[in-house]
Amino acid sequence: TLLWRQSDALIEAAWHRSGNSLFVADATHLFALAVGEGAQQVTQLATFTRIHDFTVIDRTVYIAGEKDNQSGIWELLVE
């Protein structure tokens, strides 16, 4: 089953701890993709100048990237 399709390459993908959502990032955006039976919902969670990588630990997404002329690691709390 195809879950995600876009012309930009994906940087990373990781499951939400619930198993009901998938986090995906392209070069500049982080998305949450709700998966399951029926319609799928995509939510844009963050925008960066450049995303290098991300990881999910418990309820926090850690994003390595560039934003507002700063390079670093950001954290984003998710439900």
Side-chain angles (χ1 to χ4, degrees):
T1 302
L2 179 66
L3 295 177
W4 181 265
R5 183 177 176 197
Q6 69 176 40
S7 59
D8 295 330
L10 293 180
I11 300 298
E12 183 67 62
W15 284 104
H16 183 275
R17 62 186 172 84
S18 70
N20 296 326
S21 295
L22 181 65
F23 298 108
V24 295
D26 61 20
T28 57
H29 300 92
L30 176 67
F31 302 94
L33 174 64
V35 296
E37 292 186 32
Q40 296 174 344
Q41 180 179 358
V42 177
T43 303
Q44 183 175 309
L45 299 177
T47 301
F48 284 78
T49 306
R50 180 81 178 138
I51 295 175
H52 301 292
D53 198 5
F54 78 88
T55 193
V56 181
I57 301 173
D58 293 323
R59 295 181 175 171
T60 306
V61 180
Y62 295 94
I63 307 154
E66 302 167 20
K67 185 175 185 167
D68 300 328
N69 294 320
Q70 296 180 350
S71 292
I73 298 174
W74 281 260
E75 65 179 5
L76 175 65
L77 297 176
V78 293
E79 293 297 318

